[in-house]
Amino acid sequence: HWQVRLRYTYTEREENRRRDQDGRVKSEDVTVSRTILVNGIPFEHVEEHNGKPPPVEEERRQKQKLDKLKQETPDQRAERLRMQAEENASLLREVPKAFDFRLVGEESVDGRASYILQATPRPGYQPQGKYGKMFPKVEGRLWVDKQDHGWIKVDGQVIQPIAMGLFVARVLRGSHIVMEQMRVDEGIWMPKHIEVRAAAKILLVKNLVIERVLTYSEYKLP
């Protein structure tokens, strides 16, 4: 599914908020972008930022990136796609090694029958790859479609602090993430909604609640 996603165009709405310990919003940022294909390579074009068109300088940077992408040679494009495919494959290889899965029930989600799996970090797992160090620090449940075996929903939480941004921020225990997918074509599942609510400590001193919401829509094949 992750490989097939590279062939779709789609819209993404990204909402980022920071709240203080009393729940008051300290900052909010909303970006709407459209991912298109340029010579077979996904390109994310920002269409709106906080309800307005992107600034002129941002438009200039996007055009420069787009022009550079258009000028890539076939070998350069092939190498870019190979690297994207390898990153996806690396993640998929590590997940079965990093977690123990246990069937804990069945449930209907959006009208589709699904299995519920409990995922817990596997003792002795040796982290590998870009995401490996994060896996031993999270646990949760996974809803898997009975017909296609695609995952419909993930509901997870942080069980050990996770360092982010070269230790500028630490995501604390109890932080929560929900990811949902939708069936866009026969047997193909794509991201629909991702919501992260993280208790974080900035510079090891200031406590904040960081919220990030990603909403995906308008999936189309060219």
Side-chain angles (χ1 to χ4, degrees):
H1 296 176
W2 284 31
Q3 292 302 105
V4 172
R5 183 184 177 188
L6 299 178
R7 301 203 296 266
Y8 280 80
T9 62
Y10 56 91
T11 296
E12 176 186 296
R13 177 183 174 87
E14 179 180 338
E15 304 169 49
N16 290 287
R17 300 181 188 88
R18 287 190 175 188
R19 298 180 183 271
D20 62 21
Q21 289 177 291
D22 296 322
R24 292 186 292 265
V25 175
K26 304 296 291 182
S27 65
E28 184 174 27
D29 194 79
V30 180
T31 302
V32 177
S33 61
R34 179 75 183 168
T35 293
I36 60 176
L37 297 180
V38 180
N39 294 330
I41 303 295
F43 176 79
E44 182 179 341
H45 179 264
V46 175
E47 297 183 335
E48 183 181 301
H49 183 73
N50 291 333
K52 300 178 181 179
V56 174
E57 184 59 33
E58 174 62 24
E59 287 281 18
R60 185 180 297 114
R61 282 195 295 266
Q62 290 193 96
K63 186 178 185 304
Q64 290 174 346
K65 291 180 181 179
L66 181 60
D67 290 343
K68 184 178 179 180
L69 196 58
K70 289 179 177 179
Q71 294 170 7
E72 281 188 341
T73 66
D75 287 344
Q76 288 173 326
R77 289 196 295 272
E79 176 62 16
R80 183 189 291 269
L81 288 172
R82 185 196 66 78
M83 292 177 63
Q84 290 176 332
E86 175 55 31
E87 181 175 326
N88 290 343
S90 173
L91 175 61
L92 297 178
R93 284 196 302 266
E94 288 304 302
V95 168
K97 300 176 184 177
F99 295 96
D100 287 324
F101 293 94
R102 181 169 56 92
L103 180 64
V104 295
E106 300 180 8
E107 189 175 49
S108 176
V109 181
D110 293 333
R112 298 189 65 86
S114 68
Y115 299 108
I116 307 174
L117 304 178
Q118 179 71 36
T120 55
R122 178 171 295 172
Y125 168 68
Q126 299 298 316
Q128 300 290 329
K130 180 179 178 180
Y131 302 96
K133 292 182 179 179
M134 179 181 70
F135 290 153
K137 301 177 181 180
V138 295
E139 66 178 14
R141 288 194 168 188
L142 178 69
W143 283 256
V144 178
D145 186 78
K146 283 188 175 184
Q147 178 181 333
D148 298 332
H149 296 162
W151 63 269
I152 304 175
K153 178 181 175 181
V154 172
D155 191 325
Q157 63 178 354
V158 175
I159 56 176
Q160 295 182 41
I162 300 174
M164 297 177 61
L166 297 178
F167 303 100
V168 171
R170 289 178 65 82
V171 176
L172 305 180
R173 181 177 180 179
S175 298
H176 189 228
I177 179 170
V178 175
M179 298 185 291
E180 298 175 320
Q181 293 204 127
M182 58 183 170
R183 197 173 189 263
V184 296
D185 282 313
E186 190 67 28
I188 302 299
W189 291 82
M190 296 295 202
K192 174 184 177 183
H193 184 82
I194 300 174
E195 185 167 346
V196 179
R197 185 178 176 86
K201 188 178 288 290
I202 309 297
L203 295 173
L204 304 180
V205 176
K206 189 175 182 180
N207 291 322
L208 286 174
V209 173
I210 299 173
E211 296 176 351
R212 188 179 191 192
V213 180
L214 303 174
T215 305
Y216 299 88
S217 60
E218 301 180 336
Y219 283 102
K220 296 178 182 178
L221 286 171

